[in-house]
Coordinates of all heavy atoms in Angstrom, one line a residue:
V16 N 2.0 1.2 0.7 CA 2.9 2.3 0.7 C 3.5 2.6 -0.7 O 3.5 3.8 -1.1 CB 4.0 2.1 1.7 CG1 5.1 3.1 1.6 CG2 3.5 2.0 3.1
M17 N 3.8 1.5 -1.4 CA 4.4 1.8 -2.7 C 3.4 2.4 -3.7 O 3.7 3.2 -4.5 CB 4.9 0.4 -3.3 CG 5.7 0.6 -4.6 SD 7.2 1.6 -4.3 CE 7.7 1.8 -5.9
I18 N 2.1 1.9 -3.6 CA 1.1 2.5 -4.5 C 0.9 4.0 -4.1 O 0.8 4.8 -5.0 CB -0.2 1.7 -4.3 CG1 -0.1 0.3 -4.8 CG2 -1.4 2.4 -5.0 CD1 -1.2 -0.6 -4.5
H19 N 0.9 4.3 -2.9 CA 0.8 5.7 -2.4 C 2.0 6.5 -2.9 O 1.8 7.7 -3.4 CB 0.7 5.8 -0.9 CG 0.5 7.1 -0.4 ND1 -0.6 7.9 -0.5 CD2 1.4 7.9 0.3 CE1 -0.5 9.1 0.0 NE2 0.8 9.1 0.5
V20 N 3.2 6.0 -2.8 CA 4.4 6.7 -3.2 C 4.4 7.0 -4.7 O 4.6 8.1 -5.2 CB 5.7 6.0 -2.8 CG1 6.9 6.5 -3.5 CG2 5.9 6.0 -1.3
V21 N 4.0 6.0 -5.5 CA 4.0 6.1 -7.0 C 2.9 7.1 -7.4 O 3.0 7.9 -8.3 CB 3.8 4.8 -7.7 CG1 3.5 4.9 -9.1 CG2 5.0 3.9 -7.5
A22 N 1.7 7.1 -6.7 CA 0.6 8.0 -7.0 C 1.0 9.4 -6.7 O 0.5 10.3 -7.4 CB -0.6 7.5 -6.2
N23 N 1.8 9.7 -5.7 CA 2.1 11.0 -5.3 C 3.5 11.5 -5.7 O 3.8 12.6 -5.4 CB 2.0 11.2 -3.8 CG 0.6 11.1 -3.3 OD1 -0.3 11.6 -3.9 ND2 0.4 10.3 -2.2
W24 N 4.2 10.7 -6.4 CA 5.6 11.1 -6.8 C 5.6 12.3 -7.7 O 6.4 13.2 -7.5 CB 6.2 9.9 -7.5 CG 7.6 10.2 -7.9 CD1 8.1 10.3 -9.1 CD2 8.8 10.4 -7.0 NE1 9.5 10.6 -9.1 CE2 9.9 10.6 -7.8 CE3 8.9 10.4 -5.6 CZ2 11.1 10.9 -7.3 CZ3 10.1 10.6 -5.1 CH2 11.2 10.9 -5.9
N25 N 4.7 12.4 -8.7 CA 4.7 13.5 -9.6 C 3.7 14.6 -9.3 O 3.4 15.4 -10.1 CB 4.5 13.0 -11.0 CG 5.7 12.3 -11.6 OD1 6.8 12.7 -11.3 ND2 5.6 11.3 -12.4
S26 N 3.2 14.6 -8.1 CA 2.2 15.6 -7.7 C 2.9 16.8 -7.3 O 3.2 17.0 -6.1 CB 1.3 15.0 -6.6 OG 2.0 14.8 -5.5
F27 N 3.2 17.7 -8.2 CA 3.9 18.9 -7.9 C 3.0 20.1 -7.9 O 3.4 21.2 -7.4 CB 5.0 19.2 -8.9 CG 4.5 19.5 -10.3 CD1 4.3 20.8 -10.7 CD2 4.3 18.5 -11.2 CE1 3.9 21.0 -12.0 CE2 3.8 18.7 -12.5 CZ 3.6 20.0 -12.8
F28 N 1.7 19.9 -8.3 CA 0.8 21.1 -8.4 C 0.5 21.7 -7.1 O 0.4 22.9 -7.0 CB -0.4 20.6 -9.2 CG -1.3 21.8 -9.6 CD1 -0.8 22.7 -10.6 CD2 -2.5 22.0 -9.0 CE1 -1.6 23.7 -11.0 CE2 -3.3 23.1 -9.4 CZ -2.8 23.9 -10.4
D29 N 0.3 20.9 -6.1 CA 0.0 21.5 -4.7 C 1.2 22.3 -4.2 O 1.0 23.4 -3.7 CB -0.3 20.4 -3.7 CG -1.6 19.7 -4.0 OD1 -2.5 20.3 -4.7 OD2 -1.8 18.5 -3.6
A30 N 2.4 21.8 -4.4 CA 3.5 22.6 -4.0 C 3.7 23.9 -4.8 O 4.1 24.9 -4.3 CB 4.8 21.7 -4.1
L31 N 3.3 23.8 -6.1 CA 3.4 25.0 -7.0 C 2.4 26.0 -6.5 O 2.8 27.2 -6.5 CB 3.1 24.6 -8.4 CG 3.1 25.6 -9.5 CD1 4.5 26.2 -9.6 CD2 2.7 25.1 -10.8
I32 N 1.3 25.6 -6.0 CA 0.3 26.6 -5.6 C 0.6 27.2 -4.2 O 0.6 28.4 -4.0 CB -1.1 25.9 -5.6 CG1 -1.6 25.7 -7.0 CG2 -2.1 26.9 -4.9 CD1 -2.8 24.9 -7.1
F33 N 1.0 26.3 -3.2 CA 1.0 26.7 -1.9 C 2.4 27.2 -1.4 O 2.5 27.9 -0.3 CB 0.5 25.6 -1.0 CG -0.9 25.3 -1.2 CD1 -1.3 24.0 -1.6 CD2 -1.9 26.2 -1.0 CE1 -2.6 23.7 -1.8 CE2 -3.2 25.9 -1.3 CZ -3.6 24.7 -1.7
L34 N 3.5 26.7 -2.0 CA 4.8 27.1 -1.5 C 5.3 28.4 -2.1 O 5.3 28.5 -3.4 CB 5.8 26.0 -1.7 CG 5.6 24.7 -0.9 CD1 6.6 23.7 -1.3 CD2 5.6 25.0 0.6
N35 N 5.8 29.3 -1.3 CA 6.4 30.5 -1.9 C 8.0 30.5 -1.8 O 8.6 31.2 -2.5 CB 5.9 31.7 -1.1 CG 4.4 31.9 -1.3 OD1 3.9 31.7 -2.4 ND2 3.8 32.4 -0.3
D36 N 8.5 29.6 -1.0 CA 9.9 29.5 -0.7 C 10.5 28.5 -1.7 O 10.2 27.3 -1.6 CB 10.2 29.2 0.7 CG 11.6 29.3 1.1 OD1 12.4 29.8 0.3 OD2 12.0 28.8 2.2
D37 N 11.5 28.9 -2.5 CA 12.1 28.0 -3.4 C 12.9 26.9 -2.8 O 13.1 25.8 -3.4 CB 13.1 28.8 -4.4 CG 12.3 29.7 -5.3 OD1 11.1 29.6 -5.4 OD2 13.0 30.6 -5.9
T38 N 13.4 27.1 -1.5 CA 14.2 26.1 -0.9 C 13.3 24.9 -0.4 O 13.9 23.8 -0.1 CB 14.9 26.7 0.4 OG1 13.9 27.2 1.3 CG2 15.8 27.8 -0.1
K39 N 12.0 25.0 -0.4 CA 11.1 24.0 0.1 C 10.4 23.2 -1.0 O 9.6 22.4 -0.8 CB 10.1 24.5 1.0 CG 10.6 25.1 2.3 CD 9.6 25.7 3.2 CE 10.2 26.3 4.4 NZ 9.2 26.9 5.3
Y40 N 10.8 23.5 -2.3 CA 10.2 22.9 -3.4 C 10.6 21.4 -3.5 O 11.7 21.0 -3.2 CB 10.7 23.5 -4.7 CG 10.0 24.8 -5.1 CD1 10.4 25.6 -6.1 CD2 8.9 25.3 -4.4 CE1 9.8 26.7 -6.5 CE2 8.2 26.4 -4.7 CZ 8.7 27.2 -5.8 OH 8.0 28.3 -6.2
P41 N 9.6 20.5 -3.9 CA 10.0 19.1 -4.1 C 10.8 19.0 -5.3 O 11.0 19.9 -6.2 CB 8.6 18.4 -4.2 CG 7.7 19.5 -4.6 CD 8.2 20.8 -4.1
L42 N 11.3 17.8 -5.5 CA 12.2 17.5 -6.6 C 11.6 17.8 -8.0 O 12.2 18.4 -8.9 CB 12.7 16.0 -6.6 CG 13.5 15.5 -7.8 CD1 14.9 16.2 -7.7 CD2 13.7 14.0 -7.7
Q43 N 10.3 17.4 -8.2 CA 9.7 17.6 -9.5 C 9.6 19.1 -9.8 O 9.8 19.5 -11.0 CB 8.3 17.0 -9.5 CG 8.3 15.5 -9.5 CD 8.6 14.9 -8.2 OE1 8.6 15.6 -7.1 NE2 9.0 13.6 -8.2
L44 N 9.4 20.0 -8.8 CA 9.3 21.4 -9.1 C 10.6 22.0 -9.4 O 10.7 22.9 -10.2 CB 8.6 22.1 -7.9 CG 7.7 23.3 -8.2 CD1 6.7 23.0 -9.3 CD2 7.0 23.7 -6.9
V45 N 11.6 21.5 -8.7 CA 13.0 22.0 -9.0 C 13.4 21.6 -10.4 O 13.9 22.4 -11.2 CB 14.0 21.4 -8.0 CG1 15.4 21.7 -8.4 CG2 13.7 22.0 -6.6
L46 N 13.1 20.4 -10.8 CA 13.4 19.9 -12.2 C 12.6 20.7 -13.2 O 13.1 21.0 -14.3 CB 13.2 18.4 -12.3 CG 14.0 17.5 -11.4 CD1 13.6 16.1 -11.6 CD2 15.5 17.7 -11.8
R47 N 11.4 21.0 -12.9 CA 10.5 21.8 -13.8 C 11.1 23.2 -14.0 O 11.2 23.7 -15.1 CB 9.1 21.9 -13.2 CG 8.2 22.8 -14.0 CD 6.8 22.9 -13.3 NE 6.0 23.9 -13.9 CZ 6.0 25.2 -13.6 NH1 6.8 25.6 -12.7 NH2 5.2 26.0 -14.2
N48 N 11.6 23.8 -12.9 CA 12.2 25.2 -13.0 C 13.5 25.1 -13.9 O 13.7 26.0 -14.7 CB 12.5 25.7 -11.7 CG 11.2 26.1 -10.9 OD1 10.1 26.3 -11.6 ND2 11.3 26.2 -9.6
I49 N 14.3 24.1 -13.7 CA 15.5 24.0 -14.5 C 15.2 23.8 -15.9 O 15.8 24.4 -16.8 CB 16.4 22.8 -13.9 CG1 16.9 23.1 -12.6 CG2 17.5 22.5 -14.9 CD1 17.6 21.9 -11.9
L50 N 14.2 23.0 -16.2 CA 13.7 22.7 -17.6 C 13.2 24.0 -18.2 O 13.5 24.3 -19.4 CB 12.6 21.7 -17.6 CG 12.2 21.1 -19.0 CD1 13.4 20.5 -19.7 CD2 11.1 20.2 -18.8
I51 N 12.4 24.8 -17.5 CA 11.9 26.1 -18.1 C 13.1 27.0 -18.3 O 13.1 27.7 -19.4 CB 10.9 26.7 -17.1 CG1 9.6 25.9 -17.1 CG2 10.6 28.1 -17.4 CD1 8.6 26.2 -16.1
Q52 N 14.1 27.1 -17.4 CA 15.2 28.0 -17.6 C 16.0 27.5 -18.8 O 16.5 28.4 -19.6 CB 16.1 28.0 -16.4 CG 15.5 28.7 -15.2 CD 15.3 30.2 -15.5 OE1 15.9 30.8 -16.4 NE2 14.4 30.8 -14.7
S53 N 16.2 26.2 -19.0 CA 17.0 25.8 -20.2 C 16.2 26.1 -21.5 O 16.8 26.4 -22.5 CB 17.3 24.3 -20.1 OG 16.1 23.5 -20.3
D54 N 14.9 26.0 -21.5 CA 14.1 26.3 -22.7 C 14.2 27.8 -23.0 O 14.3 28.2 -24.1 CB 12.7 25.9 -22.5 CG 12.4 24.4 -22.7 OD1 13.3 23.8 -23.3 OD2 11.4 23.9 -22.3
I55 N 14.1 28.6 -22.0 CA 14.2 30.1 -22.2 C 15.6 30.5 -22.7 O 15.7 31.3 -23.6 CB 13.9 30.8 -20.8 CG1 12.4 30.7 -20.5 CG2 14.3 32.3 -20.9 CD1 12.1 31.2 -19.2
S56 N 16.6 29.8 -22.1 CA 18.0 30.2 -22.5 C 18.3 29.7 -24.0 O 19.0 30.3 -24.7 CB 19.0 29.6 -21.6 OG 19.0 28.2 -21.6
S57 N 17.7 28.6 -24.4 CA 17.9 28.1 -25.7 C 17.2 28.9 -26.7 O 17.6 29.0 -27.9 CB 17.6 26.6 -25.8 OG 16.2 26.4 -25.7
T58 N 16.0 29.4 -26.4 CA 15.2 30.2 -27.4 C 15.7 31.6 -27.4 O 15.5 32.3 -28.4 CB 13.7 30.2 -27.0 OG1 13.5 30.7 -25.7 CG2 13.1 28.8 -27.2
G59 N 16.4 32.0 -26.4 CA 16.9 33.4 -26.3 C 18.2 33.6 -27.0 O 18.8 34.7 -27.0
T60 N 18.8 32.6 -27.7 CA 20.0 32.7 -28.4 C 19.8 33.5 -29.6 O 19.0 33.3 -30.5 CB 20.5 31.3 -28.8 OG1 20.6 30.5 -27.6 CG2 21.9 31.4 -29.4
T61 N 20.6 34.6 -29.7 CA 20.5 35.5 -30.8 C 21.9 35.6 -31.5 O 22.9 35.1 -31.0 CB 20.0 36.9 -30.4 OG1 20.9 37.4 -29.4 CG2 18.6 36.9 -29.8
G62 N 21.9 36.3 -32.5 CA 23.2 36.5 -33.2 C 23.2 35.9 -34.6 O 24.1 36.1 -35.4
G63 N 22.3 35.0 -34.9 CA 22.2 34.4 -36.2 C 23.1 33.3 -36.4 O 23.1 32.7 -37.5
D64 N 23.9 32.9 -35.5 CA 24.9 31.8 -35.7 C 24.1 30.5 -35.5 O 23.6 30.1 -34.5 CB 26.0 31.9 -34.7 CG 27.1 30.9 -35.0 OD1 27.2 30.3 -36.1 OD2 27.9 30.6 -34.1
V65 N 24.1 29.7 -36.6 CA 23.3 28.4 -36.6 C 24.0 27.4 -35.7 O 23.3 26.6 -35.0 CB 23.2 27.9 -38.1 CG1 22.5 26.5 -38.1 CG2 22.5 28.9 -39.0
A66 N 25.3 27.4 -35.7 CA 26.0 26.4 -34.8 C 25.7 26.7 -33.4 O 25.5 25.7 -32.6 CB 27.5 26.5 -35.1
S67 N 25.7 27.9 -32.9 CA 25.4 28.2 -31.5 C 24.0 27.9 -31.2 O 23.7 27.4 -30.1 CB 25.8 29.6 -31.1 OG 24.9 30.5 -31.8
Y68 N 23.1 28.1 -32.1 CA 21.7 27.8 -31.9 C 21.5 26.3 -31.8 O 20.8 25.8 -30.9 CB 20.8 28.4 -33.0 CG 19.3 28.0 -32.8 CD1 18.6 28.7 -31.8 CD2 18.7 27.1 -33.6 CE1 17.3 28.4 -31.6 CE2 17.4 26.7 -33.4 CZ 16.7 27.4 -32.4 OH 15.4 27.1 -32.3
A69 N 22.2 25.5 -32.6 CA 22.1 24.1 -32.6 C 22.7 23.5 -31.3 O 22.2 22.6 -30.7 CB 22.8 23.5 -33.8
A70 N 23.8 24.1 -30.9 CA 24.4 23.7 -29.6 C 23.5 24.0 -28.4 O 23.4 23.1 -27.5 CB 25.8 24.4 -29.4
A71 N 22.8 25.1 -28.4 CA 21.9 25.4 -27.3 C 20.7 24.5 -27.4 O 20.2 24.0 -26.3 CB 21.4 26.9 -27.5
Q72 N 20.2 24.1 -28.5 CA 19.1 23.2 -28.6 C 19.5 21.8 -28.1 O 18.8 21.1 -27.5 CB 18.6 23.1 -30.1 CG 17.8 24.3 -30.5 CD 16.5 24.4 -29.7 OE1 16.4 25.2 -28.9 NE2 15.6 23.6 -30.0
R73 N 20.8 21.4 -28.5 CA 21.3 20.1 -28.0 C 21.4 20.0 -26.5 O 21.0 19.0 -25.9 CB 22.6 19.8 -28.7 CG 23.2 18.5 -28.4 CD 24.4 18.1 -29.2 NE 24.8 16.8 -29.0 CZ 25.8 16.5 -28.2 NH1 26.5 17.4 -27.6 NH2 26.2 15.2 -28.0
I74 N 21.9 21.1 -25.9 CA 22.0 21.2 -24.5 C 20.6 21.1 -23.8 O 20.4 20.5 -22.8 CB 22.8 22.4 -24.0 CG1 24.2 22.3 -24.4 CG2 22.6 22.7 -22.5 CD1 25.1 23.5 -24.2
A75 N 19.6 21.8 -24.4 CA 18.3 21.8 -23.9 C 17.7 20.4 -24.0 O 17.0 19.9 -23.0 CB 17.4 22.8 -24.7

Side-chain angles (χ1 to χ4, degrees):
V16 172
M17 188 63 189
I18 293 171
H19 181 72
V20 168
V21 170
N23 291 319
W24 181 250
N25 285 327
S26 63
F27 67 93
F28 191 67
D29 292 337
L31 181 64
I32 292 174
F33 297 119
L34 292 179
N35 293 328
D36 189 10
D37 292 346
T38 60
K39 296 180 182 177
Y40 279 172
L42 176 66
Q43 288 78 14
L44 213 50
V45 171
L46 296 177
R47 178 184 169 271
N48 290 341
I49 292 171
L50 189 62
I51 289 171
Q52 289 295 343
S53 70
D54 283 343
I55 289 172
S56 66
S57 69
T58 58
T60 305
T61 58
D64 188 17
V65 176
S67 66
Y68 179 74
Q72 285 296 103
R73 184 169 185 262
I74 291 172

